[in-house]
Amino acid sequence: MNLSTFFSAAVISATALFTTQSSANDVTLPDLNGQVIVAVTENAYTPLNFIDPKTGNGIGWEYDAFNEIAHRLNAKVDWQLSSWDSMIQAVKQGQFDVGMDGITINDERKKEIDFSMPYMVSQQFMLVREDEGRFEEHTGFANNSDLLIGAQPGTTNFYVAVYNVLDGDENNSRIQLFETFGASVQALKSGDVDMVLMDASSAKGYMGANPGIFKIIGEPLGTEEFGFILTPGSKLTDAINAAIVSMKEDGTLEALNQKWFFDYQH
Amino acid sequence: MIKKRSLSTLPWWLLFTVIIGLLLSWNIVSDQNYTQIFNTLSKGLWTTISVTLIAFMLATLVGLVVALAGFSRFSLIRQVATFYVEIIRGIPVLVILFYIAFVGAPEMVNFYNWALQDLIEHNIISAARTRDFSMLWRAIFALSISYSAFLAEVFRAGIQEIDKGQIEAGKALGLNGWLRFRFIIFPQAIKKILPPLGNDFVAMIKDSALVSVLGVQDITQMGKVYSASTFQFFETYNVVAFMYLVLTLSLSLIIRGLERYLRRNEKH
């Protein structure tokens, strides 16, 4: 599968999601009267949030999207930084009003924090070494017990590895755990693991930065929805949802997909 | 006395360190890619330095108090001091960091609001919010607490080394507790304390990298973020390692110099 088709697959599914969810919605958006919303991200998830190597400033899909949401709600954004490890806990405790870092909406997390409606759909792809010939799709990978997969505990790529590729056992010894995403890619490069799952944009980044080292194989796995996280009982949730709907309807989100997933050059 | 330096006593490690440092520095100056990484990571340098400095000063203070409490004539105070050291020393810094950030800090804010609720209700002061307690300060407190236990042991060992006879001599001269500490115990203990104290300072510079789990923008966090956006892990972590080495090695040299100075003074 070449890059452009697998990107289209990811973005088309995002479009489909919003088409099914948007209803005839011409209600005027809430006015937050210049309220300051404290928003947090990590800047470590290209292209959703990352630092522009040229300027050192945080940029990306989520920055653009949330700044636009605030603009439509007549609010100001106070951008803060946190790490992925602590983000959900910090938002839960009210350290920040809203957090975003490609956070998958799931029931476990819903017990801890509130989610906005989904703003993006992510799918995982299999990244392997360029010379990989032992398997071509995830069932081939699963059937060969010698093959290992690299993942970060608690993240989407870990759960998709467990439930969509392997046998549903979270302690499966075929999963090698790594602290960061980059570490699992290094392990793939050096042959410690044989496959790493990642979303399309990350895969594109790693392949671009390491020409001739990696390739993508197989079909997309594990469709996940990303949502903004909010302090439990937050009054902002409805307003943010309304803004997301309006941005879906007028094509703003589609334009952001185009800008960050297709046009942006590292 | 002039000592002849033979080849075997030359500080080879220092020579090699300087050569490696110069090579890496040259790399940073000449390679555009490395220059950019260095410039970005420099923004975290000051955070790493200030977090370590403030935390170390606080840890020294708390450590000294705990060590002195260990010598108290009241058994209860001694027991509490030992309890503190054993508990804190046995928990990883990373875990203490999470405890302080997500259990300790919110509880402190709750306590503040509870203690001052009358004043808050009458709008004399405003209620504290968790967010007013920044992650940076939570990280500093956690590091201070973690290291205070180690430093308390360093101080205890240093003070215990002092000969009992000296203290009795001080008593005989009519010096009170504080004066005995100031003029008899401290000047002798500091020489014993300095090397392990410096060792813990170096260790703390490295452990300060753990504050990146709270998103504090130190060297490590900047490296994490930079490598995530450029996909250049190897190059970025080279520069991260280089920056920590410059910090720790220059500190080691300062401490060696200080030790030498104290030893020279002793001979007078």
Side-chain angles (χ1 to χ4, degrees):
Chain A
M1 180 158 58
N2 67 31
L3 265 178
S4 66
T5 47
F6 97 91
F7 263 108
S8 315
V11 176
I12 286 165
S13 57
T15 316
L17 174 90
F18 287 117
T19 318
T20 52
Q21 290 207 343
S22 63
S23 51
N25 194 327
D26 41 38
V27 184
T28 47
L29 292 173
D31 186 341
L32 299 180
N33 298 318
Q35 180 187 341
V36 175
I37 301 175
V38 185
V40 64
T41 186
E42 182 178 22
N43 284 353
Y45 194 164
T46 316
L48 299 191
N49 58 74
F50 61 107
I51 51 169
D52 183 349
K54 293 175 198 83
T55 63
N57 296 327
I59 54 173
W61 197 102
E62 288 175 334
Y63 276 98
D64 282 0
F66 203 79
N67 283 332
E68 177 63 23
I69 288 172
H71 175 71
R72 292 186 183 202
L73 298 174
N74 186 22
K76 291 189 183 70
V77 190
D78 172 12
W79 285 102
Q80 299 280 329
L81 294 168
S82 164
S83 74
W84 163 253
D85 312 54
S86 59
M87 195 175 295
I88 290 179
Q89 191 63 21
V91 170
K92 181 186 176 184
Q93 290 177 349
Q95 173 90 8
F96 312 107
D97 295 319
V98 54
M100 60 203 75
D101 200 5
I103 300 175
T104 298
I105 301 172
N106 67 29
D107 291 338
E108 292 285 292
R109 290 174 181 154
K110 275 183 188 163
K111 288 178 199 153
E112 301 293 311
I113 28 106
D114 285 358
F115 274 102
S116 72
M117 62 182 281
Y119 58 81
M120 188 183 286
V121 166
S122 127
Q123 289 177 308
Q124 301 280 306
F125 293 84
M126 292 164 68
L127 188 74
V128 296
R129 286 181 295 277
E130 179 70 39
D131 59 0
E132 184 59 74
R134 292 169 293 177
F135 57 98
E136 283 170 350
E137 21 57 58
H138 71 278
T139 47
F141 178 90
N143 290 338
N144 184 344
S145 58
D146 286 343
L147 301 174
L148 300 178
I149 185 166
Q152 295 151 279
T155 62
T156 302
N157 66 70
F158 173 79
Y159 292 115
V160 173
V162 172
Y163 295 103
N164 297 54
V165 178
L166 299 173
D167 55 1
D169 175 10
E170 294 192 7
N171 298 312
N172 193 315
S173 58
R174 290 177 64 190
I175 303 181
Q176 304 283 306
L177 296 177
F178 295 93
E179 176 66 25
T180 63
F181 212 59
S184 21
V185 175
Q186 286 294 322
L188 176 65
K189 202 172 174 177
S190 60
D192 292 325
V193 298
D194 304 294
M195 187 258 279
V196 173
L197 291 169
M198 62 177 64
D199 59 64
S201 54
S202 303
K204 177 190 166 200
Y206 282 110
M207 288 194 287
N210 303 273
I213 306 276
F214 301 122
K215 65 178 178 187
I216 287 283
I217 58 170
E219 293 299 308
L221 297 160
T223 303
E224 305 272 352
E225 293 171 356
F226 290 166
F228 298 114
I229 57 170
L230 295 116
T231 311
S234 173
K235 293 178 184 124
L236 292 169
T237 312
D238 291 340
I240 289 173
N241 284 343
I244 293 175
V245 170
S246 79
M247 284 162 67
K248 162 63 200 123
E249 285 176 350
D250 66 14
T252 309
L253 293 181
E254 199 51 56
L256 286 179
N257 288 340
Q258 180 67 31
K259 176 179 175 188
W260 292 107
F261 289 100
F262 293 94
D263 299 341
Y264 181 77
Q265 297 294 326
H266 290 282
Chain B
M1 191 176 77
I2 300 161
K3 262 197 223 158
K4 250 196 204 162
R5 273 202 159 163
S6 70
L7 273 179
S8 63
T9 57
L10 246 180
W12 286 105
W13 68 272
L14 184 60
L15 193 68
F16 282 128
T17 310
V18 171
I19 291 172
I20 293 170
L22 287 176
L23 283 176
L24 276 167
S25 310
W26 171 247
N27 219 349
I28 287 168
V29 176
S30 63
D31 184 332
Q32 230 182 352
N33 200 5
Y34 271 91
T35 314
Q36 198 164 61
I37 298 174
F38 184 79
N39 287 340
T40 310
L41 265 52
S42 309
K43 289 173 197 151
L45 185 64
W46 184 238
T47 308
T48 291
I49 293 175
S50 49
V51 163
T52 312
L53 270 181
I54 299 172
F56 194 76
M57 283 191 285
L58 288 174
T60 309
L61 222 74
V62 177
L64 191 58
V65 169
V66 172
L68 291 177
F71 290 107
S72 164
R73 72 196 113 132
F74 304 107
S75 162
L76 180 70
I77 297 180
R78 289 201 304 274
Q79 298 291 337
V80 170
T82 314
F83 177 76
Y84 178 85
V85 169
E86 294 298 332
I87 291 287
I88 299 294
R89 199 173 53 169
I91 304 176
V93 180
L94 183 63
V95 177
I96 292 188
L97 213 56
F98 281 128
Y99 264 129
I100 297 289
F102 297 123
V103 184
E107 285 304 320
M108 277 163 74
V109 170
N110 286 344
F111 177 78
Y112 174 91
N113 288 339
W114 172 81
L116 301 173
Q117 56 187 343
D118 283 343
L119 295 175
I120 292 166
E121 271 164 29
H122 293 95
N123 285 327
I124 296 169
I125 53 167
S126 53
R129 298 170 304 169
T130 330
R131 74 172 54 149
D132 299 328
F133 198 162
S134 76
M135 286 292 174
L136 183 76
W137 277 101
R138 296 182 204 192
I140 289 172
F141 282 152
L143 271 184
S144 312
I145 289 173
S146 301
Y147 270 76
S148 65
F150 291 98
L151 296 187
E153 286 296 271
V154 167
F155 288 126
R156 184 180 63 85
I159 294 169
Q160 260 173 356
E161 286 244 343
I162 314 287
D163 190 39
K164 281 257 161 60
Q166 305 242 356
I167 296 165
E168 277 155 25
K171 277 185 193 161
L173 285 171
L175 298 177
N176 66 22
W178 163 246
L179 290 175
R180 285 201 303 277
F181 177 76
R182 169 72 188 78
F183 290 108
I184 298 175
I185 300 173
F186 183 73
Q188 299 187 66
I190 187 75
K191 280 170 213 146
K192 309 274 182 207
I193 288 169
L194 202 60
L197 203 63
N199 194 33
D200 277 352
F201 198 172
V202 170
M204 195 191 231
I205 293 181
K206 296 190 294 168
D207 274 354
S208 75
L210 291 170
V211 307
S212 63
V213 300
L214 299 184
V216 173
Q217 303 287 299
D218 72 332
I219 298 173
T220 307
Q221 179 68 5
M222 293 304 291
K224 208 157 116 184
V225 163
Y226 189 86
S227 52
S229 61
T230 59
F231 303 98
Q232 295 176 329
F233 284 82
F234 187 69
E235 295 86 343
T236 309
Y237 283 100
N238 276 348
V239 178
V240 170
F242 171 73
M243 292 175 103
Y244 279 106
L245 273 175
V246 168
L247 287 177
T248 52
L249 287 173
S250 39
L251 184 69
S252 294
L253 289 176
I254 293 172
I255 293 166
R256 271 160 199 264
L258 210 63
E259 280 171 37
R260 214 172 299 135
Y261 169 81
L262 283 173
R263 235 177 288 139
R264 211 170 291 154
N265 269 9
E266 203 172 39
K267 284 173 190 152
H268 280 241

